[in-house]
Amino acid sequence: MDNLALYIVTSLIFMPVVGAIVLLFLPAENKSLLRWFTLAITLLVLLPLLGIAMPGADWLSFQVGDGGVQHVVQLSWIPSFDIQFFLGIDGISFPLLMLTAVISLLAMGASWTIDQYVKSYCVLYLLLLAGMIGVFLSLDFFLFYVFWEVMLLPMYFLIGVWGGPRRQYAAIKFFLYTLVGSVLMLIALLMLYFNSDLRKLSPQQLTASYVAAWDNGGNLLSAEKYKQQLEVSEHAVHTFNILALQQLGQNSDAFDQRLLYGKSVQWWAFVLLFVGFAIKVPSVPLHTWLPDAHVEAPTPISMILAGLLLKMGGYGIIRICYPICPDAGYDLAWLVCSIGVISMVYGALAALAQSDFKRMVAYSSVSHMGYVVLGLGVWSATAGNLFDPTAWNMGVKGALFQMIGHGISSAGMFFMVGVVYDRVHHRDLNQFGGLYGKMPVYTAMAMLLFFAGLGLPGLCGFIGEVFVVLSAWNFSPTLAAIAAAVVILTAGYILWAIQRVYLGPQYHGPHEEALTEINRREMAVAIPLCVLAIVLGVFPAIVFRYMDKTVDRQVTDLTRWTEEVKLPRLRAAEAEADQEVAANEP
């Protein structure tokens, strides 16, 4: 990799860290300087990603025809345990990296209302940004876990210090739920690491996984020479390399050792990882931290929570759960899809029951992220349909697009709630009304973003939901029909909220004199969200072009595993069961 490109990719993580350090030396009383400096750092994170997104520069541009990992950064970090500073970008991570940079920039623009402890807020904000970028870039499982944990503490303080009246309760609840998920992830991480063995991989698989080793002089060994070293090793050679773990999970018996109830290591690892990631998504019944965290968090942090942190759960499922542990992914497809549909229905019904504007939007996130879980779980490439991966491919792409679309619409909805809350200091839906007459520009933009959340055709929320529902039909027409019917519930709570807040003859709540039109700073945040909601709804290929090859490759690999590995196992198990039945017959 070109050294300049290496520095650019690495800077995505370290730029916010350096910015946080610089902030420590800036005067705390100059709040304007602190805010503008932090905004500049978030812009400096976005600019390199825009350069990668633009075609033309072979050394930097994302190659849409390449389904593998690009812009790889690989340095030895803790050589005793083969832990590496291993970063890379592919079609799964790149759209989410772009979303992270855009939402972080806009959320910082929404942070001008933060007036207490501004210096501490900005430092924690940049550390949170570094952790989020690190999660999407990491290809070493240990490094991934480190960045996952790095996000936890800044978010805890950002909610607990700058939140609402019940901020401490909400922050502790968020911390404990996320910590439980982290512990389960750590257990799975140790299970996979101590059962991994690089000796089981061929030189070609080692090369495809970017498995690297260095000689005593610090020179990188070729895959063939490293394979020769591995073959003479008497003990298993463990790894945290996510790509190598994927190869081991699909092309060897490294994780097939039986544990509890006759299930394999990878089966139980999938369950632990899925629960950990489902907490972050969040899926029912592990969702209860989310409404409290959203309601108490300040507006920009709610934008980060809904727009970015929830997406890390879906990213972990597609990046780690399925490629490394396909055994349970196949066996538990019905359970995963059912959890997704239950979350969709429950989240929509709960949103209908809310009288708090922000809590309603929070429950809508539970419902919309259910589409992500359903799309990822639709393992339709089975013997029953001759291992046709088309529907599953559509489901995974739909889930990824739903993460991007929901990231934009949910961040926009929370921002719009925050705009009016800053003026009237309440969120009671029954006390609103008539805002269109007092704030017509604000109302127009708010309606557009809420319609994007509804899934109106032509806006960013439509494509992902439709693709997921279509993909679910081949797997289960019943689940697909329920998922499609959720649109009615979504329209119910979105339209009812619009009617109660923006329409009607008059405003019914306090501080009516404060209902002034949206200002320039607020428009600078809202307009990009509105534009993205329209552009991605009309031109979804802007996102699909980046993810197509990578998703195609992953789904093809797992379909091959289903046909060549899982099907023979199922047939062998059926034959063994038939023999036992025959032996027990009189």
Side-chain angles (χ1 to χ4, degrees), residues 78 123 133 172 233 506 551:
I78 308 176
V123 170
I133 293 287
I172 291 174
S233 175
Q506 63 182 3
V551 174

Side-chain angles (χ1 to χ4, degrees), residues 410-434:
S410 64
M413 287 190 289
F414 276 112
F415 176 70
M416 289 303 178
V417 173
V419 167
V420 72
Y421 177 77
D422 289 338
R423 287 160 168 75
V424 298
H425 306 294
H426 78 87
R427 295 185 297 263
D428 188 347
L429 287 168
N430 297 317
Q431 293 190 41
F432 282 112

Side-chain angles (χ1 to χ4, degrees), residues 276-303:
F277 292 133
I279 291 174
K280 187 74 79 174
V281 167
S283 295
V284 174
L286 305 172
H287 69 287
T288 57
W289 64 269
L290 181 69
D292 292 311
H294 269 313
V295 168
E296 300 305 323
T299 296
I301 303 307
S302 289
M303 293 171 66

Side-chain angles (χ1 to χ4, degrees), residues 29-51:
E29 62 274 7
N30 194 338
K31 298 178 181 179
S32 180
L33 173 63
L34 297 171
R35 293 174 181 135
W36 280 106
F37 179 81
T38 307
L39 185 68
I41 294 296
T42 60
L43 180 60
L44 288 176
V45 172
L46 175 61
L47 291 178
L49 288 169
L50 289 175

